Amino acid sequence: MSRYDPSAFPPFAVTVDLVVLTVRDHELCALLVRRGEPPFQGYWALPGGFVRPDEGLAEAASRELAEETGLRAYSAPGHETAGPGAAGAHLEQLATYGHPQRDPRMRVVSVAYLVLAPDLPTPRAGGDASSARWAPVTELLGKSPADGVPLAFDHGLILADGVERARSKIEYSSLATAFCPTEFTVGELRRVYEAVWGVVLDPRNFHRKVTGTPGFLLPSGGTTTRQGGRPAQLFTAGGATVLNPPMLRPES
Amino acid sequence: MSRYDPSAFPPFAVTVDLVVLTVRDHELCALLVRRGEPPFQGYWALPGGFVRPDEGLAEAASRELAEETGLRAYSAPGHETAGPGAAGAHLEQLATYGHPQRDPRMRVVSVAYLVLAPDLPTPRAGGDASSARWAPVTELLGKSPADGVPLAFDHGLILADGVERARSKIEYSSLATAFCPTEFTVGELRRVYEAVWGVVLDPRNFHRKVTGTPGFLLPSGGTTTRQGGRPAQLFTAGGATVLNPPMLRPES
DNA sequence: GCAAAAGTGTTGCGGGTACACCCATGT
DNA sequence: ACATGGGTGTACCCGCAACACTTTTGC
C-alpha cells in the first residue's frame, strides 16, 4: 500500500527556479523575468525551466543561470552546501515546492536554488522571457504577506524563503563575499551586510571583526580609493566557509 | 531553447524519503527499513515512497511516516520551517536529491524530510519493508565517507545531511524538545543535547541556560524522580521556536 | 584647510565557563 | 549514612558595543 508499482508511477514535471540575489545601489535586488505566455502572462517571475532527462538538479540550475545571465556558478557537487569561489556566483539548493495546484497546467514539482552574485551589468533576457530586470526585494516583499508586486505561481513565497536564507546565512558563513567582486574593501563588504540586513553597522567595530576572523579575508596587497577618503586595503575571500565567531545581526 | 514544450515535458518519478531521528539509550538513532525487493534487495534504506498525484510533498511525507511508525507529525503548512508540537513529531523538509542515476530503474527525484521524534516503542514494519529497526547513527556514519553500513541508493548521503541539520538546528531553535515526551526534566533535555552532539555538558550551567532562555521551557508544575536523586521539575516545550541566545555547542 | 572614509585604542558590560556548594530523594 | 541527580552562587574571562581619536587621500 505504501508504494506504487514502479512501472506505473505517477508522472510529474520537475523544474528548477532561481532566486538570484545581488546588491545594487545599497539595496538587495532579485532577478526577475517577465512571462511572455500563459499562465501568468505578463507577470514577473523567477527565472527557471524544466530539468532535462539526463541532467542533475544543480546542473539544470547552473544551466538556466548561464542562459539567463551568462554567469558561471560554483557549487559543491552532490551536496547542497557549496564552497564560494571568489569569482563567479554562489549556488545552493534552497527548497522544493510541490503543491498539487501550484501550476494550473499540470503537476509540477519545482526545486528552487539560491544564487548570490556580485553586481552585474544589466541583465539580458533569455529563453521565453520577453524581458528581465533587477528589482529591490523591499519593493517585492511588503511587510504584510501578499503586499508589494505579485509574482507568478508561488514565486513570491520562494523569493521570501530565499531572502530569509541569505539574510541568516551571511551571519555564520563567509557568503557575503559572494556579493562582492574578486577584490573588495572592508567598507564594501560592510555595505553588503547593511543592504542585505537593512541596518547600519559601526564601521570601526565591523572592521575589527572581519579582519580578526581567521580565514574570512585575505589581504591582496593592493589599495584603492574608489570609495573616496583614505586608501583602503583590498582583500579577497579567504578559504573559510564557516565564520567563528559569527557576525551578529543587530536585533531589528 | 530554455524551456521544453510543456505538453511534452520529460516525465520524472517523485518520491519522499524520511530521515527519522530519535534518542534511545543516550544515542542518536535513525529509523531504517529493510528492502524486500530489488534494487538493493536486503539492504537497509530510509523509509519513503512515491508521492501521489493529488497530495503535497509534506503531506506525502506525513502519510509515509504514519504508515511506517504510526506517528503523527506537525509541520507548518506551505513552509519548510515548522512549529514544534509538544506531542507528536517535528517534520521539516531537508533537501532534494535528483542525480540522474540515483535509481537504476528510472529517473527519480526524491524530496527528503527530516523527522525528530520522541523515543518510541519498537518500530512496526509497514508497506513493502520486510522489517524495520532503530540504528545508532554513529554506526551508520563512519568518520570517513563510505565507512559503516552501506545504505540503499544515496540514502547514506541523505542521512548524513539530516543528522548534520539536526545537530546544527538544536543550537539555535527549541527543536531538541521534539526528542522529548510531552513532559520532561531539564536533565532529560540535557541528555538529548549530549546524545545528538556526542559531548558532555555541565549540568549546572545547562540548567541555568535553558531555564533562563525566555519561551524555551514552560514549568508544568509537577515533579518526578524517575532519574533518581532529588525530584526534578517537569517542563513542557514553550512557544519559542528560535532560541536567543542560542545554545553553544562545545568545539569538538 | 576641509570633508570623507580607513583604521586603532580604550572602556564598560553581559554572558559564558568553571568550579564550590547546598537540596531532596531512594536504598 | 551515602549515593545520585537537581539546583544555586560566585569569580574569572572573553567578546561585543560605544565611543574618542589618528591616518591618508581628494578637492
Side-chain angles (χ1 to χ4, degrees), chain B:
Chain B
M1 289 299 271
S2 80
R3 289 179 185 270
Y4 283 76
D5 173 5
S7 60
F9 67 89
F12 288 74
V14 175
T15 62
V16 290
D17 284 319
L18 301 177
V19 178
V20 186
L21 300 179
T22 196
V23 174
R24 288 167 67 92
D25 284 332
H26 235 239
E27 273 195 311
L28 183 63
C29 295
L31 181 62
L32 298 182
V33 298
R34 191 189 285 278
R35 287 186 57 82
E37 52 191 52
F40 294 98
Q41 185 168 23
Y43 278 66
W44 292 99
L46 299 177
F50 286 91
V51 177
R52 295 180 179 168
D54 291 317
E55 72 184 348
L57 301 175
E59 199 180 338
S62 194
R63 172 179 56 76
E64 291 285 347
L65 178 67
E67 289 177 6
E68 307 273 1
T69 68
L71 261 178
R72 271 240 154 287
Y74 298 94
S75 66
H79 282 74
E80 54 166 334
T81 51
H90 166 87
L91 183 142
E92 70 177 48
Q93 196 185 101
L94 178 58
T96 298
Y97 302 82
H99 273 210
Q101 279 83 37
R102 62 182 294 278
D103 189 317
R105 294 168 293 180
M106 57 186 150
R107 184 66 198 268
V108 177
V109 167
S110 181
V111 184
Y113 278 79
L114 177 64
V115 177
L116 306 186
D119 197 0
L120 297 170
T122 170
R124 55 174 227 234
D128 61 357
S130 57
S131 60
R133 68 165 175 138
W134 291 106
V137 298
T138 52
E139 296 176 14
L140 300 174
L141 272 38
K143 288 159 202 323
S144 52
D147 193 4
V149 186
L151 299 182
F153 306 106
D154 51 3
H155 289 186
L157 172 64
I158 300 176
L159 175 65
D161 288 347
V163 169
E164 185 47 42
R165 172 89 134 251
R167 283 185 175 145
S168 67
K169 205 146 185 191
I170 63 173
E171 287 186 51
Y172 57 90
S173 79
S174 62
L175 269 185
T177 59
F179 287 117
C180 296
T182 310
E183 283 193 327
F184 55 91
T185 69
V186 172
E188 286 161 355
L189 183 62
R190 176 172 49 83
R191 279 178 271 280
V192 164
Y193 275 91
E194 291 179 334
V196 175
W197 284 345
V199 298
V200 290
L201 300 174
D202 186 298
R204 290 93 55 146
N205 293 333
F206 183 88
H207 185 283
R208 222 195 324 269
K209 181 83 186 253
V210 295
T211 55
T213 299
F216 195 2
L217 297 184
L218 229 57
S220 75
T223 60
T224 182
T225 61
R226 61 185 175 228
Q227 300 288 348
R230 169 177 166 180
Q233 258 190 288
L234 285 169
F235 294 88
T236 60
T241 58
V242 56
L243 260 36
N244 211 302
M247 303 297 296
L248 288 190
R249 165 157 49 162
E251 55 222 78
S252 65

Side-chain angles (χ1 to χ4, degrees), chain A residues 2-252:
Chain A
S2 79
R3 289 179 186 269
Y4 282 76
D5 174 5
S7 61
F9 67 89
F12 288 74
V14 176
T15 62
V16 290
D17 284 319
L18 300 178
V19 177
V20 187
L21 301 179
T22 196
V23 174
R24 289 167 68 92
D25 284 330
H26 236 238
E27 273 194 312
L28 183 64
C29 295
L31 180 63
L32 297 182
V33 297
R34 192 189 284 277
R35 286 187 57 81
E37 51 190 54
F40 293 99
Q41 186 167 22
Y43 278 67
W44 292 98
L46 300 177
F50 286 91
V51 177
R52 295 180 178 167
D54 290 318
E55 73 184 349
L57 301 174
E59 200 180 338
S62 195
R63 172 179 55 76
E64 291 285 347
L65 178 67
E67 288 176 7
E68 307 274 0
T69 67
L71 261 178
R72 271 241 155 284
Y74 299 94
S75 66
H79 282 74
E80 55 165 334
T81 51
H90 166 87
L91 184 143
E92 70 176 48
Q93 197 185 100
L94 178 58
T96 299
Y97 301 81
H99 274 208
Q101 279 84 37
R102 63 181 294 279
D103 188 317
R105 293 168 295 180
M106 57 186 147
R107 183 68 198 268
V108 177
V109 167
S110 181
V111 184
Y113 277 79
L114 177 63
V115 177
L116 307 186
D119 196 0
L120 297 171
T122 170
R124 55 174 228 234
D128 59 358
S130 56
S131 59
R133 67 166 176 136
W134 291 106
V137 298
T138 52
E139 295 177 13
L140 299 175
L141 272 37
K143 290 165 200 320
S144 53
D147 192 4
V149 185
L151 300 183
F153 305 105
D154 51 2
H155 288 187
L157 172 64
I158 300 176
L159 175 65
D161 288 348
V163 169
E164 183 48 40
R165 172 88 133 251
R167 283 184 175 148
S168 68
K169 206 148 185 190
I170 63 173
E171 286 187 50
Y172 57 90
S173 79
S174 62
L175 269 185
T177 58
F179 287 117
C180 296
T182 310
E183 283 194 327
F184 54 91
T185 69
V186 172
E188 286 162 354
L189 182 62
R190 176 173 48 82
R191 280 179 270 279
V192 164
Y193 275 92
E194 291 179 335
V196 175
W197 284 345
V199 297
V200 289
L201 301 173
D202 186 299
R204 291 93 57 149
N205 292 332
F206 183 86
H207 185 287
R208 223 193 323 269
K209 182 83 186 253
V210 294
T211 54
T213 299
F216 195 3
L217 298 184
L218 229 56
S220 75
T223 60
T224 183
T225 60
R226 62 183 175 229
Q227 300 290 345
R230 169 177 168 179
Q233 259 190 288
L234 284 169
F235 295 89
T236 60
T241 58
V242 57
L243 260 36
N244 210 304
M247 303 296 297
L248 288 190
R249 165 157 48 163
E251 55 221 81
S252 67

